[in-house]
Amino acid sequence: MQPAWKNIEEVQRFMGTLLTLMNNISQELREAPQTFSPVFMGNHDAPNVSEWCFGYTCVVGLDEEAWEALPDDLQAQLDLIDTYGFMVEVTPNTVSRNTLRERANQVVDAAIQLHAYWFKQRPPNHQPVVTQKLVGRNDPCPCGSGKKYKKCCLH
């Protein structure tokens, strides 16, 4: 379903926020991957990774040919994300919380390794997409909601 944008400013604000988030995540994965915590890690008791993994595999589908050339060890990481992306939603009642946390940690590790691989594939003069001043987690959200970025569009 396509969003119903009110005007071009709304589209530009959304794209600016999206690109800022993408750049922040990419920078964190390059400079401090040990601190990377995707949105699904918000619930430490029972993190839900399946939707995140499903979204990741959808993006992979945009350029399947490039992804097919992954080295075998990274293909295994992508297969893990793919598998978790198509799992039926589970609850702590059907799968232990430890198992859910282990799966989440495996997905985080896989995402870090895959990002590192793709980052090395970029041309040496590649510059990240630059929008406007980067929004800090505690700054007001640029969408205009009045909430902090970390409580609004970051999640």
Side-chain angles (χ1 to χ4, degrees):
M1 179 163 78
Q2 294 290 331
W5 303 109
K6 294 177 186 171
N7 52 46
I8 192 68
E9 290 80 21
E10 188 176 58
V11 174
Q12 290 171 334
R13 189 172 55 243
F14 172 81
M15 292 305 296
T17 301
L18 182 65
L19 291 173
T20 298
L21 177 60
M22 179 189 74
N23 285 334
N24 288 344
I25 291 170
S26 183
Q27 181 179 5
E28 182 176 12
L29 286 168
R30 285 188 325 273
E31 296 175 4
Q34 69 281 1
T35 67
F36 176 63
S37 181
V39 174
F40 65 76
M41 294 299 278
N43 183 351
H44 294 290
D45 287 336
N48 181 341
V49 300
S50 63
E51 287 182 10
W52 187 93
C53 290
F54 181 77
Y56 196 101
T57 58
C58 288
V59 172
V60 168
L62 296 174
D63 191 0
E64 288 180 16
E65 189 175 311
W67 286 86
E68 288 172 359
L70 281 175
D72 289 344
D73 60 326
L74 291 175
Q75 185 61 52
Q77 298 297 332
L78 183 59
D79 290 345
L80 174 103
I81 291 173
D82 187 48
T83 298
Y84 289 159
F86 289 97
M87 289 184 121
V88 175
E89 284 299 319
V90 294
T91 64
N93 299 334
T94 58
V95 176
S96 76
R97 290 184 176 166
N98 284 341
T99 299
L100 293 173
R101 280 192 297 271
E102 285 174 24
R103 288 179 183 168
N105 288 332
Q106 289 173 333
V107 168
V108 170
D109 291 342
I112 289 169
Q113 291 176 44
L114 289 163
H115 180 271
Y117 171 80
W118 286 114
F119 188 76
K120 289 177 185 173
Q121 306 309 309
R122 292 180 179 176
N125 61 351
H126 176 78
Q127 295 296 314
V129 176
V130 177
T131 57
Q132 52 212 329
K133 175 185 167 266
L134 294 179
V135 180
R137 292 173 47 86
N138 291 314
D139 292 340
C141 189
C143 76
S145 68
K147 297 179 184 177
K148 288 184 178 183
Y149 183 60
K150 68 181 178 185
K151 297 285 186 180
C152 189
C153 290
L154 181 60
H155 291 288

